[in-house]
Amino acid sequence: MTVNRRELGRRLNRLTDASVAEVLTVRGDEPLAGPGGPRRVGFTGPPGAGKSSLIGALARRRVEHGVNLAVLCIDPTSPLTGGSILGDRIRIDADLDVYVRSVPSRQANDGLTDNLPDLLAALDGADFDEIWVETVGVGQAAYGVRRCVDTVVVLVLPGSGDTVQAMKAGILEIGDVHVVTKGDRPGAEQTADELAAIVDEVIVTSTVDGRGLDDLLAALDRHHVHQRRSPDHDRVRYDVERLITRRVRELLNDLDPGDRTLGAAYRTIVNALESENS
Ligand SMILES: Nc1nc2c(ncn2[C@@H]2O[C@H](COP(=O)(O)OP(=O)(O)O)[C@@H](O)[C@H]2O)c(=O)[nH]1
Ligand SMILES: [Mg+2]
């Protein structure tokens, strides 16, 4: 690959903790490019669903076919300790030529990492054929990742309780491809049947016996062809929304509780609403 990985690592490090002002400095005058770069696939599901294991198994097959792959793992961060609650449980064999990067998620926003659009853009610029993103699929984060990638794989564990939970959290609707993991375990087929009543395509996988892995890769390819025809322009909107909300948060964090700016801001909002309603 042409981009030096150490250089890429430095760039990603710098972006991971960058403030809005720093991000904009790095970008310069150029807005982030919209869809059209390397294909991006998001893998989302509850902790322990088997996301990392599945990514590791699929990555091996992709690499064997000569694909140059990057994996970005967004790790939930404990609000109390600031440390990772899951740790860097990346399950990609060390001998495999895959670029793997783990970044902490942030409590402050939608549970994804603060500068996800820029981290992905940095990877876009580094000659990868595909970029995969692992996120814990709970609520907001699932919707956020939907807006940054081309294809979303939603993982569901065997056991109907989990299906119901996933439905409640609204996660199923964001998936392009749905996977029941740990297909070597009892109950997987039943969960797949339940899911198939709700969504179009369900694939049962197992990283233990390898079932479904080729089917899943084929499903990703099919969705990619479809996606090419209808690029998702929501990416730019997501980026702008994130920058604005983060900037507002940064400004608020800098204020003392008694700062008069807060009162002035409040009155501005109230006045604006009143004039809108009159
Ligand atoms: N039986 C079985 N266990 C699996 C499978 N895939 C993952 N696991 C196990 O499930 C646990 C969580 O896997 P992991 O990939 O870390 O899940 P993640 O939290 O969603 O990334 C680990 O103990 C894995 O060994 C599978 O296909 N079959
Ligand atoms: Mg994981």
Side-chain angles (χ1 to χ4, degrees):
M1 63 178 293
T2 58
V3 169
N4 180 311
R5 288 197 175 181
R6 198 184 299 163
E7 172 58 32
L8 175 61
R10 270 198 294 268
R11 197 175 306 168
L12 292 173
N13 269 348
R14 185 167 162 215
L15 283 169
T16 299
D17 293 316
S19 66
V20 171
E22 287 162 347
V23 161
L24 295 179
T25 304
V26 171
R27 285 189 194 180
D29 291 336
E30 293 298 312
L32 288 185
R39 79 200 253 196
R40 298 178 181 174
V41 183
F43 293 81
T44 190
K51 298 178 294 296
S52 300
S53 306
L54 185 63
I55 287 171
L58 296 174
R60 175 164 292 282
R61 283 167 165 72
R62 275 292 203 243
V63 169
E64 278 167 6
H65 284 89
V67 172
N68 191 4
L69 180 66
V71 177
L72 186 68
C73 171
I74 303 174
D75 214 32
T77 303
S78 157
L80 290 178
T81 62
S84 282
I85 49 175
L86 294 183
D88 287 0
R89 294 209 199 126
I90 297 168
R91 298 178 189 274
I92 291 184
D93 298 336
D95 69 306
L96 208 57
D97 188 20
V98 174
Y99 185 83
V100 182
R101 188 84 193 176
S102 182
V103 293
S105 61
R106 300 282 185 231
Q107 186 62 17
N109 45 53
D110 59 7
L112 294 170
T113 191
D114 278 341
N115 297 316
L116 181 59
D118 290 84
L119 294 170
L120 289 170
L123 292 168
D124 275 352
D127 289 350
F128 295 110
D129 302 310
E130 292 185 33
I131 299 164
W132 293 359
V133 185
E134 173 182 342
T135 59
V136 172
V138 274
Q140 288 288 301
Y143 286 94
V145 80
R146 155 84 283 168
R147 302 176 70 182
C148 295
V149 303
D150 305 305
T151 304
V152 175
V153 182
V154 169
L155 281 71
V156 177
L157 278 161
S160 53
D162 198 70
T163 311
V164 173
Q165 280 310 112
M167 282 159 50
K168 278 188 187 155
I171 285 168
L172 292 179
E173 70 202 41
I174 68 143
D176 301 301
V177 180
H178 297 81
V179 168
V180 177
T181 54
K182 310 191 188 184
D184 53 288
R185 289 208 183 155
E189 294 298 336
Q190 192 195 326
T191 302
D193 290 344
E194 289 166 20
L195 266 179
I198 309 166
V199 299
D200 286 342
E201 186 169 20
V202 181
I203 298 170
V204 178
T205 62
S206 168
T207 55
V208 172
D209 62 23
R211 90 182 64 173
L213 298 178
D214 290 327
D215 290 344
L216 176 52
L217 288 172
L220 296 183
D221 289 343
R222 277 197 302 278
H223 187 261
H224 180 59
V225 171
H226 163 77
Q227 188 69 31
R228 273 268 162 90
R229 279 183 249 125
S230 53
D232 182 2
H233 292 295
D234 197 33
R235 251 183 226 183
V236 178
R237 186 192 286 260
Y238 177 77
D239 179 39
V240 173
E241 279 176 22
R242 286 279 296 253
L243 287 175
I244 291 172
T245 52
R246 278 192 63 211
R247 185 68 196 124
V248 169
R249 203 182 301 274
E250 284 176 1
L251 289 170
L252 287 174
N253 286 346
D254 287 345
L255 294 178
D256 293 329
D259 195 300
R260 283 164 47 200
T261 316
L262 275 177
Y266 179 79
R267 279 189 299 278
T268 304
I269 292 168
V270 170
N271 289 341
L273 286 174
E274 277 174 356
S275 60
E276 224 172 76
N277 291 339
S278 64

